[in-house]
Amino acid sequence: MTARGKSAKRASARSAARLAAVQALYQMDMTGIDLNEVIAEFEAHRLGQEIEGCQYCDAEAGFFRDLVQGVVREQLKIDPLIDKQLAEGWRLTRVDSILRAILRAGAFEILARDDVPARVVISEYVDIAHAFFAEDEPKVVNGILDRIGHKARPREFLAEERRDG
């Protein structure tokens, strides 16, 4: 396999891990399932498995685990950051559960995974939002994660603006 092929496969595995992490966070939110239990369930029965006739992509299990554990560990830090970015009068607790999971995972990745460019993180979670929503939610994800990214990683955005400007 070429270097480009390996890179594309890794990107696909990370995209699958992000989607699985959002689904796991949603499941935890809706059912109250324990963190370790949801990770074990996803690793044993969902990541790379066929479910109801749909073949799920192989996901990078370590990346999936890091996202889910990180969101849970950092939730008290992440939620207020997201709250500040929501429209006036809105709180994260009022947001749809799947949208809340997308925002939390995206915010965590921007804050904690500086090995992934912020623009890539934002794009990935906007794509996930498109998989679940047909209205304005992907734009909300883009706006909120973009503002968090600008605050958390201003150098990345300054360098990008210099190149574009």
Side-chain angles (χ1 to χ4, degrees), residues 29-75:
D29 197 25
M30 298 307 293
T31 66
I33 189 172
D34 172 75
L35 170 67
N36 294 322
E37 192 177 338
V38 80
I39 288 173
E41 176 189 323
F42 271 74
E43 289 181 346
H45 303 293
R46 296 198 187 189
L47 302 182
Q49 303 295 318
E50 184 176 321
I51 301 171
E52 296 174 8
C54 294
Q55 180 64 44
Y56 283 69
C57 295
D58 281 333
E60 189 177 313
F63 191 68
F64 161 78
R65 225 176 295 114
D66 182 59
L67 292 175
V68 177
Q69 290 171 336
V71 168
V72 171
R73 183 181 62 246
E74 300 295 330
Q75 190 170 333

Side-chain angles (χ1 to χ4, degrees), residues 136-151:
D136 290 333
E137 289 86 348
K139 292 177 188 171
V140 170
V141 170
N142 184 61
I144 289 173
L145 294 182
D146 187 68
R147 287 190 296 275
I148 290 171
H150 272 82
K151 289 178 180 167

